[in-house]
Amino acid sequence: MTADLQKGRMGPRACLLGLLALFVAGKCSYSPEPDQQWTLPPGWVSLGRADPEEELSLTFALRQQNLERLSELVQAVSDPGSSRYGSKTERKYLTLEDVAELVRPSPLTLHTVQKWLLAAGARNCHSVTTQDFLTCWLSVRQAELLLSGAEFHHYMGGPAETHVVRSPRPYRLPKALASHVDFVGGLHRFPPTSTLRQRPEPQVPGTVGLHLGVTPSVIRERYNLTAQDVGSGTTNNSQACAQFLEQYFHESDLAEFMRLFGGNFAHQASVARVVGQQGRGQAGIEASLDVEYLMSAGANISTWVYSSPGRHESQEPFLQWLLLLSNESALPHVHTVSYGDDEDSLSSAYIQRVNTELMKAAARGLTLLFASGDSGAGCWSVSGRHRFRPSFPASSPYVTTVGGTSFRNPFRVTDEVVDYISGGGFSNVFPRPSYQEEAVAQYLSSSPHLPPSSYFNASGRAYPDVAALSDGYWVVSNHVPIPWVSGTSASTPVFGGLLSLINEHRILRGLPPLGFLNPRLYQQHGEGLFDVTRGCHESCLNEEVEGQGFCSGPGWDPVTGWGTPNFPALLKTLINP
């Protein structure tokens, strides 16, 4: 792609004329993301305007083709009711090359965008295999000319005092590009901060028969794993987690964690592969948690870590992770991600395009698990009225979303109840997918504790789909064992690791990996899962709902989904073709 842009390089006068021509041809400009909310997140401060000669890395999302056909193919390879699902010969996931052939932008789109960027002086442009993203370098001066209205500033914030470059003002593109560019990444969205919490240790008299926090042994006991429930080490099975924004794990922390807590099951001592840049800063608790519990739940299975820390100040780490998925032919079968944004904070163009990227992954047979969030139903005010606040990508219909639970007795391995922070609810963007129609309708018609209907979109995609323990974990980070760490960032890698163990059995039988799990999960009505029926999660602190969101109940609910894993039963129900 770089060579294409450099071919026949134009002089300054010709460049300017080429750029003006696009504006004149379109007669006016348009805003790709008119509904993108821009507010400075709490804890962030402006450091002033960026230097005009400073270099920026911007990502252009090019318009894709054949998305309806892609959706049909996802259903064909994921829905047990499909004729393509089930047999060893018929069920064939798409390769990256298949996906590229399907969604690749039209020749007109590729030519128009390349010509526009060349005229603006863009350089070192790199595409991905699917050719639907283009990342280029420009100076601030060039970028502000290219993206009318943009004004780049330096900002600093977050626990690690991260530096980013963003534009507080909306940008516009020539109208001639309206059918060619979905959005430009690197302008508005700030990296979200971790919502993991370290809760105070509960006080209870006596210690006989009690545990002092969630460890791999506690998880294996609760979810009925034996010492034999580990990877064989003989297959090409693999799993992955993603870390963002200066969140790193340290191999020494992983080794110490396994020394302390991994003595009673076979496990791998190190990460098999790091994709991206693994920094040398302090370990982050979130990154440490992801790696340690993915590798202890999915024990003895090759594990990758996607490290997208946003090393350049204009990059969006989550977007960089999506680009990595679109550029690798061979990927781990299971990916766990503890990342989310409020739906209402994102533009329609961005949220729909990211959803398409998740659909592409589903077509390739990847199982993507996202944390449901740690704010319960959430809360925001719309025109003076309170509403619940759904999270994305948790609300995407193409991911499996994981909620959180606590032990009924925090010091004993007992049945589970709702963890009040467990994210869940109904999307305001995506309609309810057909695979969950029956389950959600049943909940809405039978729950005795529904919030007022004005608080949520009852026809939206409902989440989470499943849950696992999210309260009171031990984590080793920066050589220090840390107790009582809580959040759905903990439950997500645990559930992902158990699915990797099930994939191991399937691969050994010559079956394909599970792929996008939701259609099968809902068709089987949560078989193989412990139903969580007690507790509610948090929401708006007002007189009308008094801090209570949705409540759990028999079957599926928007707090814990279908429930938490009973590994032998879940293996039995998912091992068949």
Side-chain angles (χ1 to χ4, degrees), residues 292-357:
E292 289 163 8
Y293 281 91
L294 181 62
M295 293 186 68
S296 54
N300 210 37
I301 289 174
S302 177
T303 302
W304 296 19
V305 173
Y306 282 82
S307 184
S308 305
R311 294 300 298 169
H312 189 271
E313 294 177 359
S314 61
Q315 290 176 344
E316 296 180 34
F318 181 66
L319 191 56
Q320 299 306 308
W321 175 73
L322 291 173
L323 266 65
L324 287 171
L325 294 190
S326 280
N327 219 26
E328 288 265 353
S329 294
L331 291 169
H333 304 308
V334 173
H335 296 252
T336 73
V337 186
S338 303
Y339 163 88
D341 267 313
D342 298 322
E343 268 189 355
D344 59 273
S345 72
L346 303 169
S347 72
S348 296
Y350 177 86
I351 209 169
Q352 294 292 347
R353 176 56 186 268
V354 170
N355 192 55
T356 297
E357 298 307 304

Side-chain angles (χ1 to χ4, degrees), residues 199 223 337-338 368-377 394-395 399-406 416-425 461-471 473 486-496 518 521-522 529-530 532 537 552 556-565:
R199 293 178 178 167
Y223 297 141
V337 186
S338 303
L368 301 184
L369 294 102
F370 275 80
S372 70
D374 300 333
S375 302
S395 64
V399 305
T400 299
T401 305
V402 185
T405 60
S406 304
E416 293 161 74
V417 297
V418 168
D419 185 346
Y420 67 92
I421 66 169
S422 178
R461 175 347 188 191
Y463 71 96
D465 305 298
V466 294
L469 285 163
S470 57
D471 183 22
Y473 278 68
S486 301
T488 53
S489 296
S491 55
T492 306
V494 166
F495 207 102
N518 289 11
L521 187 70
Y522 282 81
L529 299 166
F530 292 119
V532 180
H537 63 184
S552 62
W556 179 90
D557 58 68
V559 191
T560 60
W562 286 106
T564 63

Side-chain angles (χ1 to χ4, degrees), residues 245-324:
L245 188 63
E246 305 296 333
Q247 280 277 336
Y248 308 117
F249 79 98
H250 287 172
E251 289 278 9
S252 57
D253 288 337
L254 175 61
E256 177 65 8
F257 177 85
M258 290 300 186
R259 186 187 71 80
L260 290 172
F261 303 120
N264 61 350
F265 57 90
H267 57 265
Q268 298 197 359
S270 61
V271 166
R273 181 178 174 190
V274 175
V275 181
Q277 295 173 311
Q278 168 72 354
R280 297 182 179 179
Q282 280 205 323
I285 293 181
E286 181 132 15
S288 303
L289 173 76
D290 287 344
V291 173
E292 289 163 8
Y293 281 91
L294 181 62
M295 293 186 68
S296 54
N300 210 37
I301 289 174
S302 177
T303 302
W304 296 19
V305 173
Y306 282 82
S307 184
S308 305
R311 294 300 298 169
H312 189 271
E313 294 177 359
S314 61
Q315 290 176 344
E316 296 180 34
F318 181 66
L319 191 56
Q320 299 306 308
W321 175 73
L322 291 173
L323 266 65
L324 287 171

Side-chain angles (χ1 to χ4, degrees), residues 369-426:
L369 294 102
F370 275 80
S372 70
D374 300 333
S375 302
C379 186
W380 65 313
S381 180
V382 186
S383 303
R385 288 194 58 83
H386 287 96
R387 291 197 69 182
F388 294 159
R389 196 172 203 180
S391 176
F392 179 79
S395 64
S396 166
Y398 294 105
V399 305
T400 299
T401 305
V402 185
T405 60
S406 304
F407 282 125
R408 182 168 47 83
N409 181 329
F411 288 99
R412 295 188 186 276
V413 180
T414 59
D415 58 337
E416 293 161 74
V417 297
V418 168
D419 185 346
Y420 67 92
I421 66 169
S422 178
F426 295 78

Side-chain angles (χ1 to χ4, degrees), residues 55-213:
E55 294 288 295
L56 298 177
S57 171
L58 299 177
T59 298
F60 301 84
L62 278 57
R63 187 68 48 84
Q64 299 154 314
Q65 301 190 96
N66 303 314
L67 298 186
E68 286 189 14
R69 177 58 181 155
L70 180 65
S71 176
E72 292 169 0
L73 288 169
V74 169
Q75 183 167 348
V77 298
S78 307
D79 185 350
S82 162
S83 61
R84 186 165 170 174
Y85 189 99
S87 89
K88 297 181 184 181
T89 54
E90 290 180 358
R91 188 181 183 194
K92 185 175 184 296
Y93 294 125
L94 276 64
T95 65
L96 178 60
E97 291 67 29
D98 293 334
V99 172
E101 189 67 28
L102 198 63
V103 306
R104 181 181 293 119
S106 70
L108 177 61
T109 291
L110 294 171
H111 175 75
T112 302
V113 175
Q114 290 173 24
K115 182 178 178 181
W116 173 62
L117 290 172
L118 174 62
R123 56 201 165 277
N124 297 328
C125 292
H126 298 282
S127 187
V128 292
T129 302
T130 47
Q131 293 184 257
D132 47 5
F133 284 108
L134 191 59
T135 301
C136 297
W137 288 88
L138 303 97
S139 70
V140 167
R141 187 193 310 278
Q142 290 169 327
E144 290 180 348
L145 282 171
L146 184 74
L147 309 169
S148 175
E151 186 180 276
F152 290 92
H153 292 245
H154 280 276
Y155 297 91
M156 181 181 74
E161 296 191 337
T162 304
H163 287 252
V164 301
V165 176
R166 295 291 186 267
S167 171
R169 298 177 55 186
Y171 67 98
R172 302 182 69 83
L173 300 180
K175 197 170 182 181
L177 293 172
S179 60
H180 303 301
V181 177
D182 288 334
F183 71 88
V184 183
L187 279 91
H188 297 316
R189 286 163 287 276
F190 280 77
T193 55
S194 172
T195 55
L196 273 179
R197 318 176 184 198
Q198 188 177 8
R199 293 178 178 167
E201 179 179 345
Q203 300 301 310
V204 16
T207 58
V208 178
L210 305 182
H211 68 79
L212 298 177

